[in-house]
Amino acid sequence: MQFFNYIRKWCQSQTSFYFVFVLLSIIPNLVLFFTEPLPFVLGLASVGIPLAIMLCVLVLAPKPGIVVWCLLPKVILDGGQLVLLYLFGESVIAVDMFLNLTSSNASEASELLSNIFVVISCVFLFYTLPTLLLAFRSVRLKEKLTVDFRKKWAKRGGMLLLVSAVLCSSFPLFDYSFSVKNDIYPANALYNLYFAINKSRKNANYKKTSADFSFKAVKSDRAEKQREVYVLVVGETGRAMEWGLYGYERETTPNLKKTANLVYLKDAVTQSNNTHKSVPIILSAASAENYEILYEQKSIVTAFKEAGFKTVVIANQKLTTSIIGCFYREADTFIDMSTFKTGSYLKSLHDDALLPYLEKELTKSDDNLFIVLHTYGSHFNYYERYPKDFSIFTPDKADGIRASLKKELRNSYDNTICYTDYVLSEIIKRLDKSNTCAVLAYLSDHGEDIFDDNRNRYLHASPIPTYYQLHIPYVYWFSEDYKTCFPQKFEQVKKHADVPVSTNSLFHTMLDIASIKTDVLDESYSLSSETFVIRDRMYLGDHDNPVPFWKIGLKKQDFIMLDKWNIAYEKE
Ligand SMILES: [Zn+2]
């Protein structure tokens, strides 16, 4: 009885509320202290500074609950941060996460949201809601914090701030470039939000900022009396390690294995694990190394168009709200299949629905053609990506995304690869039949995690990628006529099959293969050029900065896989 009385008394005290609110407000910092790779002393400072600030801020009003309600956006942000920490086990809310909130389509969002709904509900029920209810209780109480108490704790907070600032200033000793905007939550999350807003503005202004741009592209060499057709297939969420062609124990690519004149790049990694950053690098001259030029230049579609090609884009993904959509609208013909009726706004078409449109475009005229086919590939929910005939590996129906369903998820994922193999071989068959000087390039925008190791990671676009999100399938196919007309280019691509390569090679290789000349083309990136240069491969950081991909925060498990698949990186 005495215990309950004590609890009751405690619950009616503003000082108790004060300390509870201080503790609740720094829970994300306490978790980040253990998950972020900061040197210990700087880690202490990264908790000390927000703790000091909260000690001071919560005494600004005589009832701490009033301050908590004024800080409602921070309470919500803290909840979001905890959800993210639960999902990825590390990292502050990244720029891409803010941007993805606005760029996912309905079916994509619903597929993912239904899976993280439980996590969001738990954080809301056990963190956000109790914080707000206690704040409400604090506001309703008649009692107030005494002036002495408020002064005392403001002073203590100030002293803690001073000590933490001294700890921060020691960063040169640890050879670590420490900054408030990168290393202290919530300043870093807010900076990321600011960066995301700025970036959305740049995306929105893209049409204006790139309006005057011209590649001044010309065709320097032509196939004699031959029509030329170049096809770029943009894949989605492909993992090279799950392609039979790359040595996977399951036969997931039987058709491509039989295809003649096919070159696959064994050591290809993406420059970003996020569709909205990776695909623009594939489609333009922008790389992780110079990402800002994205906003001033146009895409590969315009380069082909300027060189006299008829350009066609057929997309099976909703991309019209992003810069990718702007790129695709540069084409003479843009078929946006995501707008087609499928019976439900949550359902997408299977990728073979692209084939009749491709066939029609191939036979419509005798123009030289450049075609982009943007597939839905292996995007979650895997089971939805292929027709029943492709349920080759079973059981393949997973009713969610949980480690206990790994077998079903891997089976259905492998089925998406079998289906991609079929779709690609059908495209190649049509190009082969067209008797044109034709080349097809396929590469995936990024890979995926599917509960591969003890980290139990899943999906992609996490703030720090894994091996599984980086290693992508990347292939070129050449028609017999192309080989006859441009044998050197074919030989060069074949010669470069084993070189370390990134997604940023596609733009330059594709233009070079089509003998298009422009000052923007850098042959040192082109796999079809003898001047191709092997270089350190960069990854596009969260603030659009280039980082060598092996320094982005990969873990021991990732390096084991990089070595297993012979992916080149700088070993110390
Ligand atoms: Zn993607």
Side-chain angles (χ1 to χ4, degrees):
M1 200 61 193
Q2 212 179 354
F3 175 73
F4 286 110
N5 275 339
Y6 174 76
I7 293 280
R8 203 165 57 91
K9 225 172 128 191
W10 190 87
C11 286
Q12 286 170 356
S13 145
Q14 292 289 15
T15 47
S16 313
F17 283 127
Y18 172 76
F19 292 117
V20 168
F21 292 142
V22 169
L23 180 69
L24 286 171
S25 70
I26 61 151
I27 284 180
N29 299 87
L30 292 173
V31 182
L32 288 163
F33 174 78
F34 293 102
T35 63
E36 299 314 283
L38 278 177
F40 181 71
V41 172
L42 298 175
L44 283 182
S46 76
V47 178
I49 290 177
L51 175 61
I53 292 173
M54 287 315 291
L55 285 172
C56 296
V57 169
L58 282 165
V59 289
L60 282 177
K63 295 178 179 180
I66 296 174
V67 181
V68 173
W69 275 104
C70 291
L71 293 177
L72 181 63
K74 182 185 179 298
V75 177
I76 294 167
L77 186 75
D78 289 349
Q81 179 61 58
L82 291 175
V83 169
L84 182 86
L85 283 167
Y86 179 82
L87 291 175
F88 296 116
E90 61 187 352
S91 302
V92 72
I93 306 175
V95 174
D96 289 339
M97 311 235 135
F98 287 117
L99 288 171
N100 282 347
L101 288 179
T102 56
S103 55
S104 286
N105 64 40
S107 73
E108 190 170 305
S110 67
E111 281 163 0
L112 297 183
L113 277 179
S114 58
N115 289 292
I116 58 170
F117 183 72
V118 181
V119 187
I120 294 174
S121 307
C122 284
V123 169
F124 181 74
L125 282 177
F126 297 107
Y127 180 78
T128 314
L129 190 62
T131 306
L132 295 177
L133 288 176
L134 287 174
F136 182 68
R137 177 92 187 116
S138 160
V139 174
R140 291 283 304 263
L141 270 188
K142 276 203 181 106
E143 192 211 347
K144 292 176 180 175
L145 292 173
T146 64
V147 175
D148 280 351
F149 179 91
R150 291 166 66 193
K151 274 189 186 161
K152 185 171 85 183
W153 283 97
K155 212 185 274 172
R156 287 179 179 178
M159 273 154 64
L160 179 61
L161 190 62
L162 206 69
V163 174
S164 304
V166 172
L167 291 181
C168 279
S169 62
S170 69
F171 71 86
L173 297 176
F174 305 101
D175 197 19
Y176 184 91
S177 74
F178 183 85
S179 69
V180 172
K181 74 174 172 37
N182 285 328
D183 296 303
I184 295 184
Y185 177 85
N188 44 11
L190 291 174
Y191 177 75
N192 289 348
L193 176 62
Y194 158 79
F195 195 97
I197 293 169
N198 219 355
K199 196 167 164 176
S200 316
R201 223 185 38 222
K202 280 197 234 169
N203 284 340
N205 287 337
Y206 168 74
K207 248 186 133 175
K208 261 191 237 158
T209 52
S210 65
D212 299 330
F213 178 81
S214 165
F215 285 99
K216 299 190 175 64
V218 290
K219 185 120 172 70
S220 63
D221 203 357
R222 282 166 205 283
E224 252 173 68
K225 294 180 197 155
Q226 267 282 31
R227 188 177 172 211
E228 293 177 48
V229 178
Y230 300 98
V231 177
L232 164 60
V233 183
V234 181
E236 175 63 68
T237 317
R239 310 194 329 159
M241 59 172 272
E242 231 121 321
W243 279 45
L245 199 63
Y246 279 75
Y248 184 40
E249 59 267 25
R250 280 179 168 177
E251 190 42 277
T252 49
T253 54
N255 293 302
L256 292 178
K257 258 191 179 169
K258 293 191 299 229
T259 305
N261 305 331
L262 188 96
V263 181
Y264 68 101
L265 286 305
K266 294 178 189 71
D267 180 1
V269 294
T270 183
Q271 289 205 315
S272 173
N273 63 351
N274 188 315
T275 306
H276 294 278
K277 284 165 89 174
S278 178
V279 176
I281 289 175
I282 293 170
L283 296 173
S284 75
S287 285
E289 293 88 329
N290 62 350
Y291 197 67
E292 284 298 307
I293 67 162
L294 186 73
Y295 303 105
E296 296 149 26
Q297 298 193 355
K298 289 181 177 149
S299 77
I300 191 167
V301 175
T302 294
F304 269 89
K305 205 166 156 183
E306 286 181 13
F309 282 77
K310 182 173 184 263
T311 53
V312 180
V313 174
I314 311 170
N316 191 26
Q317 266 199 59
K318 185 167 169 57
L319 301 153
T320 43
T321 53
S322 71
I323 213 159
I324 307 169
C326 296
F327 284 176
Y328 286 166
R329 277 187 288 262
E330 292 169 17
D332 297 305
T333 307
F334 175 30
I335 302 170
D336 180 5
M337 290 173 40
S338 72
T339 59
F340 294 2
K341 287 200 171 62
T342 57
S344 158
Y345 76 101
L346 294 179
K347 231 176 135 192
S348 306
L349 291 164
H350 293 141
D351 283 334
D352 68 352
L354 294 158
L355 297 171
Y357 297 97
L358 169 71
E359 210 161 281
K360 205 168 141 200
E361 292 299 328
L362 282 173
T363 49
K364 214 154 105 180
S365 71
D366 285 329
D367 296 325
N368 283 348
L369 277 178
F370 175 62
I371 305 176
V372 180
L373 302 172
H374 196 125
T375 62
Y376 217 161
S378 305
H379 198 290
F380 190 80
N381 191 345
Y382 317 130
Y383 184 75
E384 310 264 314
R385 297 292 160 254
Y386 51 88
K388 276 204 175 64
D389 308 352
F390 281 84
S391 283
I392 296 162
F393 303 105
T394 54
D396 60 346
K397 193 150 191 203
D399 59 356
I401 188 150
R402 292 188 294 279
S404 57
L405 295 169
K406 183 178 164 180
K407 190 170 149 200
E408 288 81 357
L409 291 166
R410 275 296 283 272
N411 282 340
S412 55
Y413 183 84
D414 286 349
N415 290 337
T416 67
I417 304 298
C418 295
Y419 184 58
T420 298
D421 170 70
Y422 159 78
V423 172
L424 286 176
S425 64
E426 286 300 308
I427 297 168
I428 290 172
K429 262 186 216 161
R430 282 159 179 77
L431 292 174
D432 214 9
K433 230 173 55 191
S434 69
N435 287 322
T436 56
C437 185
V439 177
L440 169 138
Y442 164 89
L443 82 175
S444 179
D445 57 348
H446 50 74
E448 179 98 318
D449 283 312
I450 316 175
F451 303 102
D452 298 284
D453 53 40
N454 55 6
R455 291 174 290 180
N456 272 338
R457 298 273 301 261
Y458 58 94
L459 304 177
H460 59 268
S462 52
I464 295 175
T466 58
Y467 154 81
Y468 304 94
Q469 297 184 32
L470 290 171
H471 188 196
I472 50 158
Y474 185 4
V475 304
Y476 285 92
W477 170 84
F478 302 84
S479 74
E480 281 299 330
D481 288 336
Y482 183 89
K483 259 175 75 182
T484 313
C485 293
F486 305 104
Q488 299 93 334
K489 290 189 192 288
F490 168 68
E491 287 304 325
Q492 283 299 330
V493 177
K494 238 171 70 179
K495 205 181 115 191
H496 290 130
D498 295 332
V499 299
V501 67
S502 280
T503 35
N504 61 352
S505 62
L506 187 283
F507 173 88
H508 304 280
T509 306
M510 205 74 195
L511 290 185
D512 189 41
I513 279 177
S515 307
I516 291 175
K517 287 270 175 270
T518 153
D519 287 346
V520 180
L521 168 62
D522 183 345
E523 285 187 18
S524 71
Y525 283 99
S526 167
L527 292 159
S528 51
S529 164
E530 55 185 323
T531 56
F532 175 83
V533 174
I534 294 175
R535 59 189 91 213
D536 281 347
R537 287 174 289 180
M538 296 293 149
Y539 184 83
L540 186 62
D542 196 42
H543 296 155
D544 293 348
N545 50 320
V547 188
F549 80 85
W550 61 93
K551 287 187 178 170
I552 195 80
L554 298 181
K555 307 294 181 299
K556 194 178 78 213
Q557 296 94 323
D558 301 312
F559 287 104
I560 291 171
M561 290 304 285
L562 290 175
D563 292 339
K564 182 181 169 191
W565 288 90
N566 288 318
I567 309 296
Y569 63 92
E570 196 183 284
K571 292 172 193 168
E572 274 155 25

